[in-house]
Amino acid sequence: MASSAKKLMARHSPMPAVAPNSDTQHLPDAEIEPIGIVIPAYGHPRFLGEAIISACTQETERQILVVVVDDGCRFEETVELVTSLMGQFPGVLHYVRHKNTRLPGARNKGVRFLMAMCPEIDSVFFLDADNRLSPYSIEAYRKALGDDERIGWAYPDIAFFGLSWGRGGFDIRETAPDYSVLKHLCGNISEAGSLVRASVFRNDVFYDDTMRSGFEDWDFWLTALGAGYLGVRVKDAGFLYRRRAESMLADSRREEELLLARMKLKHKALFDPKFIMQTVQREAPFFAILEEDSDKVLLTADPCVKGEEITLEEFANRVAACRKSPREHFFPRKIVLFAPGMWQALKKGAPAYMRWVFWMLLRDKTGTKAISVVSSARPAMRRATPGDHAHMIVFDSTAFENQVWTGDLAPLAELEHAELSLPIKAVPEGMTAGLLCWNLGTLLPKDKTYSRHTDRRYAGPHARGLYEKVIDPACSADDEFFPPAPWVRADGEKWFAFVATGDEVAIADLAGRMQAARIKGYRILLVLEREDGVQYEDKPSLALDIADMIVPLILEPSAGMSRYYLGRRVKSVMTGMRQLELETLAIHFDHIEASHTAMSLEAFGASKHRGAKTHLMMPSAYAHDAGAEDFGRVLAYEHAIDQVVTDDPSVLAPVLSAQGIPREKVVAEADFFSALAPASNKVNAPAVMAKPLSWAPTGGYLFVVTYGRSGSTLLQTVLQSIDGYFIRGENENALYSLFEAWKRARSVRQRFDTTRPVPRHGPWYGAEEVDAEAFAARLVDAFVAEVIRPPEDARVVGFKEIRYGDLSEGELEEYLEFIRRFFPQSRFVFNMRNAADVGRSGWWKDTDPGFVEKLVSRSDAVFKRFAARYSAISHLMQYEEYAQAEAGFVSLFDFLGEEMDEAVLKAMMARQLDH
């Protein structure tokens, strides 16, 4: 390299922070933070000038700061070009040179340079040296990014130029018209040419410097996603991507499998089944549930979790959209049409079996099936003789679209039939035809052909292909045989599985152990182990009433296959298919207990592989009654057993130890449950004043969120009437001050560089040791103990507050996220009322009606957005719907999972409130 070029590089590397030249650069209002643009430069000096000029000539009121990061470029023209352009754009264009680290390191260098030069910077755009921006691009990006802090970046549709298929020299690819987490887990839907909110970097989200072979952009977005941020599309961004024959992506394709495995391991939390299923519930629910006498459609991935309710017309529009662009849109895997009253009968009469029923529907590969429901104490689903009526018609997505679109629905008698046995006392009448499907067909567009734009098309991941690429592999033990169980676990929710053989389910000891786990905060799964064709005596069972979820595990008649372990014959009973079935369930539970006679012992290894703790129940009498083969079976699976639980370890432990089972694995039943870790990370305490930090109610927290004179006192009173509920009244929004304190503590790490220790003489000495999350947790504990002050028998704790309406939309959304994050098992009831009625109350008599209308409208909008995002933990209440009749509270009690006493409600509603 020529010496003159070296001198130029030395002169400009590294560049000090330079303030914009006020004589040549118009400075906007100081309240509007600048936007930065990072341009890495290495091997494309012939296009670099176009990129720089397009960045420096943005038509915006915001100050633009552009930094070119010379990534050890070997071309002298690079530094010469940038130097000459710095004269044209003084105070706007900057230059930094460092050793070659490829794109990830260069982009990080540029971001850190901009944030050091301008700590208050608003956002940063990444522009590669061979791409360009249109003059309006930054304004379009920033408008799309908005003020919602949860939106971390704005990404474009990609307009290709250069080597293009478009007849005009451009062709546009839409990777995700609507941002989708599931699609982003399947492939990169956000081009690097995106605008990233500066708070993303302040939360220590940067490119991985070691991702030098490609996929570095995808990895960066997944890191941001893991930090709680989401993307948003910029439809007309004006971002121009130069397509060339060679690219770094070609390198990544050669190492694709290795890179993908590395990313899945790095972002393990994003590919965790619980997160996947929560995301499926929001974005791609498995089921569309229709009722013959209703114009509503429920979309959900879990029949026990509140999903999205839309009108039949809205559902028809989604059917049409999927027909028009099947790659782009998600569509339910199964469409379930219920006879009038059957859906409600299932929810009320057999709620614990609902997940099992819908899992059976997912597992069925029939295109269209009619199902009749019969009342029986032995749950099962079997083939049945075709008939002319049914309680359910189940379609897979392909069959449904074809039949509804053509209107060619086969008569019930021609469909394959099944019989579903459930312990439902009153089964409604069936239907004789799926008339609703024809009604739906009448709502579809008459023109069934679609024109396509020749130069614009969807190019993101195939929406329906995500099941086999992302969802099924993560949530099934073997997706070839078992789809994921329709089971969406809430944050903080833990499950304890109990296996009961045919004769054990009525034993009182089983119910007692289940209740002990429930007291510890666990939800209860009961696996009913049954051999097909074997008749079991029906006995009253408290265990069936305690269980939150029941799954019959139907075992094929055993052929008596045996193997040998340490010279002992070990009879194998469970087939590989049944082990896979239990392992698929084990993805979702945290503990499993089975007796020494249970066949499910053979699946303990698979359950342990999925992270569940395994516990074998064995009475001390077994020490005298068991033979060599009996001990051989336990010994064969000893490696998969975490604990052997017994009534008397002093009797059983020596015998098992002699057989080769470690003594330390044998524990007393009483000691086991006392030592069992609570489902919540927090522990219960006996009395309010003795409540230590880290206390939480077993049923979680409930918040009534509203504004003044919305009728919320009646709602609070109703909630207080539920046994175990302790709902306080207003507290002047004292919790909001704690929220602000947490934000200030967090800003220490966000606003200042605390990645390295601050010296003792530094003004921010100790800043790197601030733990804002622990600080918030302790504040919340103190708030519960000293402000709410719940009694020792409180099952659900919370309060109602009317001062949420005083906050802006952004503040309120942030505040609600804080509550959801730091109160375990939190739920929200949003109370709304007609704005005109609110304004007429004495509370607002001296207030401008327009102010009240805006406050109500603003608050209601946030309530609805939050409820849509977190539908499983949110419920919307409209005062006008419950003020005059107790029936208006039915949906609330369904949401809470509590029994409603109409007589008590009627008495409360007749009482005059004193306020």
Side-chain angles (χ1 to χ4, degrees), residues 657-678:
S657 178
Q659 299 292 331
I661 298 174
R663 281 176 176 265
E664 56 268 22
K665 283 194 174 185
V666 184
V667 299
E669 182 176 338
D671 295 337
F672 168 72
F673 282 105
S674 63
L676 179 65

Side-chain angles (χ1 to χ4, degrees), residues 284-297:
F286 292 153
F287 306 102
I289 298 171
L290 301 84
E291 296 181 81
E292 186 77 338
D293 57 348
S294 172
D295 66 345
K296 302 293 184 183
V297 179

